[in-house]
Amino acid sequence: MEKVTVPIKGMHCASCALVIEKTLKKTEGVKEVKVNYGTEKATIEFDKDKVSLSKMSDSIKPFGYEFIKSELPEKITQKLQDKNINDSLAWKIDPAKQQKLLELRDQKAKIQFVLPVAVVVFVFMMWEIAAKNISWMPSFFITHEIYSTILLIISTIVLFWIGKPFLAGIVKFIKYRAANMDTLVGIGTFTAYLYSAFIVLFPQLRVSLRLPESNYFDVVIIVIGFVSFGKYLEARSKLKTGEAIEKLMNLQAKTALVERDGMEIEVPVEQVLINDIVIVKPGSKIPVDGEIIEGKSSIDESMVTGESIPVDKEKGDKVIGGTINKQGRFKFVATKIGSDTLLANIIKWVEEAQGSRAPIQRIADRVSGIFVPVVLGIAVATLVVWLAAGSQFMPFSNALTYGLLNFTGVLVIACPCALGLATPTAIIVGVGKGAQNGILIKNAESLEKLHKINTIVVDKTGTITKGKPEVTDIILANPVNDANHVFSLFASLEKYSEHPLAVAVVERANEENIGFLKVDDFEIIEGKGLKGTINGVQYYAGNLRLMEELNISYDAELISNLAKQGKTPVIFANNDEVIATIAIADTIKDSSVEAVKQLHKLGIKVVMLTGDNINTAKFIAQQVKIDMVFAEVLPQDKADKIKELQSQGFIVAMAGDGINDAPALAQSDVGIAMGTGTDVAIESADITLLAGDILKIPKAIKLSKQTMTVVRQNLFWAFIYNIIGIPLAAGVFFPFFGLLLNPAFAGLAMALSSVSVVTNSLRLRFARLGK
């Protein structure tokens, strides 16, 4: 089975997505299809031995849709050049976007013609209505016959040129029984046009049938004008929802400076190979992922991780393709290229998440699936009821007038697009906003689930703490001694050891520019510590067992207190006495306290899950103000602790960074991987936080809550709009309140409904995720 995501040309409304989905699912060899109207893409799982992409594209062509190929046809590229769409953005984006830009340019040309005409006709229509109902209003300045002839000519142009997609919708409905929003608008406007043409072209027949002389050419022009304008605004707004992907794509370097045969040569980034030596100059983009082998620099990773402060890198550190070298020249060996780089994976994850469906969308999908046929039924019923029942209370000519207007109004006002766009547009913008802040969301379901969580479980090491030992305390036995000199002696001894605690000591000495002294007769005392001679004096560094063996007394209370704080005490002594006690610990991240504080503000309980001893865990928990602690938990038991919390009714998110966290991440309702962790943890998680910053956990939750608020607002207004609009257009309120909706206003309302949903979703781009 192969899984691909392909852009689709010709999608105009939510019903289009359902038609494409149903048609593709019927194709032999297709296992699963998900069509997203928000992204105008289909994700298809199929057997390539049974069916090809071209065959699938052919199956939807009769309905007016087709797949957009990865390579743009030459004629489209030429058209883009002819129309001067040659800005840097247009040429950095994918063929689907270029196709959309071309369509938008054509739409704009039509809108520039039809919108001014529609506005003028709308004003004249209001004038005519006002003149008939307000005594002081002057009569319309053009005679009815002349104005009707002018409108006949204009409406013919508008219907058969601007309204061509709507007429095509009628043809598709007749030929294939597939209806969408275009079908509804097409039937409504074409019916109004045919009736009006009959009234104007056959006046004697109209008189003999006792039909009113009113025509509805103005309705045809205004409805097509406003609906087309609405579709143009919607399409333009939808392009903005995908800006996050574009920005990520634009981060990719185009070329790389590589070392080959002893020479530095510039090659396209696609030609960089694994193990190539790549040279990066100050101000340049890093082309691919790799590891520094020579030099050091400060690198701006903000575009990928969301972290604004440049990160210092030196030999042995990893670099990310797409980030910017701020200063210093360095060389690195390429370890990941092409689709394997972190940036390429981020783009892939974001695209997949934007194309996925949130569970809340299912109700809108179900309604959209039956929406068009139901509306067609309501429209026909409206006409029949007005003709049958209306003629009992008013002249037949009036009943026919009302019937036709309301028939057209129902077809025009009904809008499945607002329903279809409500969820996907918010998800697209929300996922993109997350990516810009270093929060990678795997799918829409994870984003929806995250806003419901009430408990967050965090691993201690690497999540709450930095994940590496640091010197925390230097406690002198005799305060008279010089602390720097004592630490210099201690660090000189530790420098010869490869123990992780010794590395922490040496790092601290380097940070504080403390010099190292020459050590003679260095020896590792297995399981106990070290010894060596400095300037003729024998020194020891080790644990309690070493001190006891040497019969050197130590401060037991101090050692006990340090141990309770989760610190490892290393005693530094000479042959006679203890000189100092150095405490080493995995220290709390600066951001942990603030992150927990923000989570508490959001009403979320914080639980720490760790394999460390209970004393260390409790001390760390007290420092950070964590609510509950599970300590001394074996890796295989972490998932069971998550189950235990879930059985108590908690909705649990788990944040971790190690291989041993993977089962717990998978078990939790939402798994959050810290981006500094292992690939296994990231693969098991629903959300990945780049740079491993715990402050991004409350940010992710806020983003989820804000996105779901927008989704609910969109769905509410989309449903309310249709629930109120359709009965109003049908004339249901006329017998009680005398309320009727002119199809011209219905067209305006329908145009604004979709635009308002997309615009509301775009507000998420400016959402604040900080405090």
Side-chain angles (χ1 to χ4, degrees):
M1 285 288 175
E2 191 167 327
K3 191 175 182 180
V4 295
T5 299
V6 289
I8 298 173
K9 179 185 174 184
M11 288 178 68
H12 300 299
C13 72
S15 300
C16 297
L18 295 165
V19 169
I20 295 166
E21 206 165 274
K22 284 178 184 175
T23 306
L24 290 175
K25 278 180 178 176
K26 290 176 187 174
T27 308
E28 188 186 356
V30 175
K31 184 186 175 187
E32 186 62 44
V33 182
K34 285 181 181 175
V35 180
N36 189 307
Y37 173 47
T39 59
E40 295 184 19
K41 290 180 181 179
T43 301
I44 310 164
E45 196 174 342
F46 65 102
D47 186 342
K48 61 182 179 182
D49 295 328
K50 291 182 179 177
V51 66
S52 64
L53 284 173
S54 58
K55 187 177 177 182
M56 284 186 271
S57 183
D58 290 342
S59 72
I60 60 174
K61 266 185 186 173
F63 302 98
Y65 318 109
E66 63 179 298
F67 295 164
I68 298 175
K69 295 175 183 176
S70 57
E71 294 298 325
L72 269 180
E74 193 176 321
K75 61 181 180 181
I76 291 180
T77 305
Q78 189 59 49
K79 270 189 184 180
L80 284 163
Q81 290 170 339
D82 292 344
K83 292 179 181 290
N84 293 320
I85 304 177
N86 56 5
D87 56 88
S88 59
L89 176 64
W91 296 108
K92 285 178 184 174
I93 51 181
D94 61 282
K97 178 72 180 282
Q98 293 191 26
Q99 176 79 51
K100 205 72 193 165
L101 280 172
L102 184 60
E103 288 174 11
L104 265 178
R105 184 59 66 96
D106 291 339
Q107 274 183 284
K108 187 177 179 181
K110 290 177 180 177
I111 293 301
Q112 285 172 337
F113 166 78
V114 76
L115 191 60
V117 173
V119 170
V120 170
V121 171
F122 181 75
V123 171
F124 285 174
M125 184 180 77
M126 292 292 98
W127 188 346
E128 278 195 293
I129 293 170
K132 288 176 185 174
N133 295 285
I134 301 172
S135 57
W136 53 264
M137 192 77 181
S139 299
F140 191 55
F141 65 94
I142 306 174
T143 63
H144 180 76
E145 290 75 16
I146 294 172
Y147 188 51
S148 295
T149 306
I150 293 169
L151 287 181
L152 170 62
I153 296 166
I154 295 172
S155 64
T156 303
I157 297 168
V158 169
L159 180 64
F160 292 97
W161 176 40
I162 311 295
K164 194 176 178 181
F166 306 126
L167 297 179
I170 302 174
V171 174
K172 279 187 275 185
F173 178 60
I174 295 167
K175 284 177 73 176
Y176 306 107
R177 298 290 182 270
N180 58 18
M181 189 198 79
D182 289 352
T183 312
L184 299 180
V185 176
I187 292 173
T189 53
F190 191 58
T191 303
Y193 175 82
L194 284 180
Y195 173 79
S196 302
F198 173 79
I199 294 295
V200 171
L201 297 175
F202 304 101
Q204 292 176 337
L205 196 54
R206 173 188 64 76
V207 172
S208 63
L209 292 172
R210 296 181 181 178
L211 295 174
E213 64 175 351
S214 303
N215 63 70
Y216 307 110
F217 291 128
D218 48 5
V219 169
V220 174
I221 296 164
I222 294 165
V223 166
I224 290 176
F226 286 169
V227 171
S228 298
F229 183 53
K231 288 177 77 153
Y232 169 73
L233 290 178
E234 178 192 318
R236 204 174 66 168
S237 298
K238 275 169 68 182
L239 278 180
K240 291 181 184 176
T241 63
E243 279 182 357
I245 285 282
E246 267 175 41
K247 286 178 182 175
L248 288 169
M249 284 180 167
N250 289 338
L251 292 180
Q252 294 171 320
K254 301 294 177 282
T255 61
L257 191 63
V258 297
E259 212 174 68
R260 287 183 186 163
D261 301 324
M263 294 176 64
E264 292 182 9
I265 58 168
E266 191 170 37
V267 298
V269 73
E270 295 82 11
Q271 293 179 17
V272 176
L273 306 172
I274 294 285
N275 294 326
D276 262 349
I277 304 300
V278 183
I279 298 103
V280 184
K281 295 177 180 178
S284 300
K285 274 187 183 177
I286 296 168
V288 294
D289 296 0
E291 186 175 312
I292 296 177
I293 56 169
E294 183 185 306
K296 58 184 178 179
S297 183
S298 180
I299 294 172
D300 179 2
E301 296 184 343
S302 60
M303 301 80 74
V304 176
T305 65
E307 298 298 318
S308 57
I309 301 169
V311 183
D312 291 332
K313 302 272 184 175
E314 56 186 27
K315 186 178 177 181
D317 287 335
K318 289 180 168 47
V319 290
I320 302 167
T323 56
I324 297 172
N325 178 27
K326 299 294 281 185
Q327 59 188 44
R329 174 188 166 105
F330 65 89
K331 293 181 182 180
F332 74 91
V333 60
T335 55
K336 288 182 179 177
I337 58 172
S339 60
D340 294 327
T341 63
L342 176 62
L343 183 58
N345 276 302
I346 289 172
I347 292 168
K348 184 185 79 174
W349 292 331
V350 172
E351 279 186 325
E352 286 177 356
Q354 289 184 338
S356 62
R357 287 180 183 168
I360 198 170
Q361 191 177 339
R362 287 173 194 150
I363 185 168
D365 285 346
R366 283 198 292 270
V367 172
S368 296
I370 58 169
F371 190 90
V372 172
V374 166
V375 169
L376 277 170
I378 292 171
V380 172
T382 297
L383 179 59
V384 171
V385 169
W386 271 103
L387 291 177
S391 58
Q392 303 297 315
F393 303 97
M394 61 182 73
F396 179 79
S397 60
N398 288 0
L400 177 62
T401 299
Y402 285 133
L404 277 170
L405 281 174
N406 293 330
F407 169 79
T408 304
V410 168
L411 292 174
V412 169
I413 200 168
C415 188
C417 294
L419 278 174
L421 288 167
T423 304
T425 51
I427 295 294
I428 291 165
V429 179
V431 167
K433 177 79 174 176
Q436 288 170 348
N437 285 273
I439 301 164
L440 298 184
I441 297 154
K442 192 173 277 185
N443 53 50
E445 188 173 355
S446 305
L447 188 62
E448 182 177 337
K449 277 184 184 174
L450 188 61
H451 92 285
K452 296 177 182 174
I453 69 145
N454 51 31
T455 304
I456 177 94
V457 176
V458 291
D459 180 41
K460 180 184 78 70
T461 308
T463 304
I464 296 292
T465 63
K466 293 176 182 175
K468 68 171 192 172
E470 290 183 357
V471 174
T472 58
D473 305 272
I474 302 167
I475 304 156
L476 299 174
N478 185 349
V480 175
N481 290 333
D482 177 32
N484 281 348
H485 177 65
V486 170
F487 193 67
S488 174
L489 292 168
F490 176 68
S492 299
L493 197 59
E494 291 286 352
K495 188 181 179 185
Y496 288 83
S497 170
E498 293 179 358
H499 193 280
L501 297 185
V503 173
V505 172
V506 173
E507 278 185 3
R508 172 69 174 266
N510 286 329
E511 283 170 12
E512 298 191 3
N513 294 317
I514 290 173
F516 295 98
L517 304 169
K518 186 186 176 193
V519 178
D520 297 314
D521 305 324
F522 176 79
E523 185 183 328
I524 293 174
I525 305 166
E526 199 64 46
K528 297 171 188 173
L530 321 163
K531 72 174 184 177
T533 304
I534 302 174
N535 296 330
V537 179
Q538 183 82 55
Y539 291 102
Y540 300 89
N543 56 24
L544 302 184
R545 284 169 58 199
L546 179 61
M547 295 303 113
E548 286 165 0
E549 196 174 278
L550 295 169
N551 288 320
I552 295 174
S553 60
Y554 55 86
D555 187 341
E557 188 180 347
L558 172 65
I559 301 299
S560 174
N561 286 337
L562 290 172
K564 283 178 184 175
Q565 294 173 29
K567 297 174 181 178
T568 301
V570 180
I571 301 172
F572 181 56
N574 55 28
N575 281 322
D576 301 317
E577 61 182 353
V578 170
I579 300 170
T581 302
I582 288 84
I584 300 171
D586 180 9
T587 56
I588 295 167
K589 287 180 180 177
D590 296 336
S591 54
S592 294
V593 176
E594 180 60 32
V596 172
K597 187 179 173 183
Q598 287 188 32
L599 288 167
H600 284 155
K601 274 187 184 176
L602 291 167
I604 293 166
K605 184 176 187 175
V606 184
V607 178
M608 190 166 77
L609 187 64
T610 179
D612 271 3
N613 70 73
I614 188 70
N615 287 333
T616 302
K618 278 187 174 178
F619 179 77
I620 296 287
Q622 284 168 1
Q623 299 285 98
V624 187
K625 295 188 169 54
I626 281 170
D627 303 296
M628 188 188 296
V629 177
F630 291 123
E632 298 172 14
V633 180
L634 296 172
Q636 61 268 32
D637 297 332
K638 285 189 175 183
D640 293 333
K641 291 295 180 185
I642 300 292
K643 282 182 191 173
E644 187 182 315
L645 288 167
Q646 288 169 327
S647 68
Q648 294 169 24
F650 293 112
I651 302 167
V652 183
M654 162 79 186
D657 69 340
I659 290 173
N660 61 8
D661 294 324
L665 289 169
Q667 173 60 41
S668 62
D669 295 289
V670 179
I672 301 171
M674 309 306 281
T676 53
T678 65
D679 291 342
V680 177
I682 290 169
E683 199 61 39
S684 304
D686 302 298
I687 292 168
T688 298
L689 307 180
L690 296 177
D693 182 3
I694 191 173
L695 267 174
K696 285 179 182 167
I697 295 177
K699 278 186 179 181
I701 294 167
K702 285 175 191 171
L703 176 65
S704 172
K705 287 180 182 291
Q706 289 171 347
T707 303
M708 295 318 298
T709 297
V710 169
V711 167
R712 288 197 190 94
Q713 288 169 350
N714 286 351
L715 286 172
F716 173 79
W717 288 114
F719 274 111
I720 287 294
Y721 164 81
N722 283 293
I723 288 166
I724 294 173
I726 292 172
L728 180 61
V732 170
F733 302 117
F734 182 73
F736 311 105
F737 309 107
L739 288 176
L740 277 177
L741 187 67
N742 188 297
F745 290 102
L748 179 61
M750 194 270 268
L752 292 175
S753 66
S754 294
V755 175
S756 63
V757 163
V758 178
T759 305
N760 192 41
S761 296
L762 286 171
R763 285 193 309 113
L764 280 169
R765 292 194 305 169
F766 310 104
R768 290 186 63 191
L769 302 181
K771 295 180 187 179

